[in-house]
Amino acid sequence: MGLHVVSPERSVTLIKGLSVLGFVASRPFGCTIAETAKDVEISRAAARRLLLTFCDMDILRQDQKWFLPTPKLAELAISPIVTEPFWEALRPPMKHVSEKTGEACSMSTLYGQDIVYVARAPSRRVLSVHLEVGSRLPAVHTSMGRVLLSNLVPERLTALINQTELPRRTRFSLSDRQVLLETLCGVASNGYAIVDQELEEDLISVAVPVFAPTGATLAALNFSSTPTRYPSKRLRDTIVPMLEAASKQITDVLRTNQDINSHAIKEIKK
C-alpha cells in the first residue's frame, strides 16, 4: 500500500493510522504486526503502537499474534453517502432523463483517481461499455470525472494530475497534463464537461455537478450516447439544460427529505 508524500501541514501519524485500519479491514481473518508494517511501509514498532491503540479503542481486537477488525470499525465508516439507499432515493430525476431520451443517465462520485458509479438509469440500447453501480473508470477520461476534478482545490488538483497516468485509450484521448489542466479550468468555468470518444471510440458523454444543500459538489450527473446521435452541439443545447434541471431536483430532494440519511444508516447497521 505505502504512504503518499504529504506536506508538513498534514498529520503523518493520522495517515499511518488510517492506512493501518484500511489494511486490517481488508484482512477480516486477522493480520500480524509484521504483515501490517510491511504493507503500510512503517516500522514494526510504529505498527505495534497503532494496532494496540486501536485495540484499546475497541476498533480492533487482538487474538494472540493476530489483530482483527471489530464491528466498531464498520460503525466508524457509517455515513449515508456510502449506502445504496442514499443514492437510490435520488434516482427518479435520472430515470426521467433516461426515459425521455432513451439514453443512459448515471451519477458518480470521486474516489482517488477514479470515479465510482453510485446510481444509474440504463439506456434502452446496448452499449459496448458495461457499467453498473460500483463500476470504476479513470476520472481524467470521463465527463463526470472532469466535473468532479474541476471542483478540487488547485493544490489538490495539480498534485492528483501529476500522479495520474494518462494512457491514450483512444486516438482522441488527452495525454498532455498541461492541456488537461487547461481543459479542467474550462469545465469549472462552463459548469459542464463533454468528453468525445476519449474513453472509447463512438462514445460521447456530458456531465454536470450535483450540489449538496451546503453548496459542496456531492457528485456528478452524466448522459452518454454516440456522437452520431448526439454531437457536442446537441449535447450543449438540449442535454446540458436537462441534466442541470435533474441536478437541481436532486439537490432539492436532499434539502427536503431528511429521511434519506436516517434510512441509509439503518440499512447499513442491519
Side-chain angles (χ1 to χ4, degrees):
M1 182 182 297
L3 299 173
H4 295 290
V5 177
V6 296
S7 76
E9 296 181 355
R10 304 327 191 237
S11 171
V12 176
T13 301
L14 177 58
I15 293 173
K16 290 178 180 178
L18 292 175
S19 297
V20 166
L21 286 181
F23 177 64
V24 179
S26 72
R27 300 289 294 272
F29 302 129
C31 58
T32 66
I33 291 174
E35 290 171 337
T36 304
K38 180 180 179 180
D39 183 85
V40 183
E41 297 180 9
I42 57 178
S43 68
R44 291 195 181 195
R48 180 178 181 275
R49 284 195 301 271
L50 289 167
L51 288 168
L52 291 176
T53 298
F54 290 133
C55 286
D56 291 343
M57 299 172 66
D58 294 325
I59 297 172
L60 306 179
R61 64 183 179 87
Q62 185 177 6
D63 183 357
Q64 303 300 323
K65 68 175 183 177
W66 303 103
F67 291 84
L68 299 93
T70 72
K72 189 171 182 179
L73 179 57
E75 291 178 3
L76 290 176
I78 290 178
S79 170
I81 200 171
V82 303
T83 65
E84 184 176 345
F86 177 90
W87 298 110
E88 189 63 22
L90 307 179
R91 207 164 73 91
M94 299 169 54
K95 188 176 179 182
H96 174 73
V97 172
S98 180
E99 290 176 345
K100 191 170 182 179
T101 62
E103 302 288 357
C105 184
S106 306
M107 187 157 46
S108 73
T109 189
L110 194 63
Y111 183 32
Q113 299 175 358
D114 296 336
I115 57 167
V116 178
Y117 280 69
V118 292
R120 183 164 168 80
S123 167
R124 292 195 293 266
R125 298 184 306 110
V126 177
L127 294 175
S128 55
V129 177
H130 177 69
L131 296 168
E132 56 189 17
V133 172
S135 294
R136 292 172 62 164
L137 290 174
V140 294
H141 292 315
T142 61
S143 58
M144 287 189 286
R146 290 186 182 173
V147 163
L148 294 167
L149 289 172
S150 72
N151 283 278
L152 295 178
V153 296
E155 174 192 3
R156 179 67 64 186
L157 174 60
T158 301
L160 190 148
I161 295 301
N162 287 337
Q163 295 171 3
T164 301
E165 294 185 6
L166 297 177
R168 294 188 68 87
R169 297 178 64 100
T170 75
R171 56 197 172 99
F172 301 102
S173 301
L174 285 183
S175 58
D176 185 284
R177 287 183 171 80
Q178 186 56 43
V179 174
L180 177 58
L181 286 170
E182 292 171 0
T183 300
L184 292 173
C185 286
V187 171
S189 175
N190 295 331
Y192 65 87
I194 294 177
V195 172
D196 189 354
Q197 303 184 83
E198 291 190 48
L199 180 68
E200 180 175 310
E201 294 200 21
D202 204 33
L203 179 67
I204 190 170
S205 66
V206 60
V208 302
V210 175
F211 297 106
T214 57
T217 304
L218 181 70
L221 194 63
N222 141 293
F223 170 94
S224 56
S225 185
T226 65
T228 303
R229 288 169 59 86
Y230 282 90
S232 295
K233 186 177 186 304
R234 188 181 181 191
L235 288 180
R236 283 193 298 270
D237 294 345
T238 63
I239 301 302
V240 168
M242 194 181 302
L243 287 179
E244 289 175 337
S247 175
K248 184 179 183 302
Q249 292 173 15
I250 290 171
T251 302
D252 290 341
V253 170
L254 291 169
R255 182 178 292 111
T256 59
N257 190 352
Q258 299 300 319
D259 292 336
I260 293 179
N261 292 1
S262 59
H263 177 63
I265 291 177
K266 289 178 181 177
E267 287 294 318
I268 200 172
K269 283 187 173 181
K270 284 183 179 179

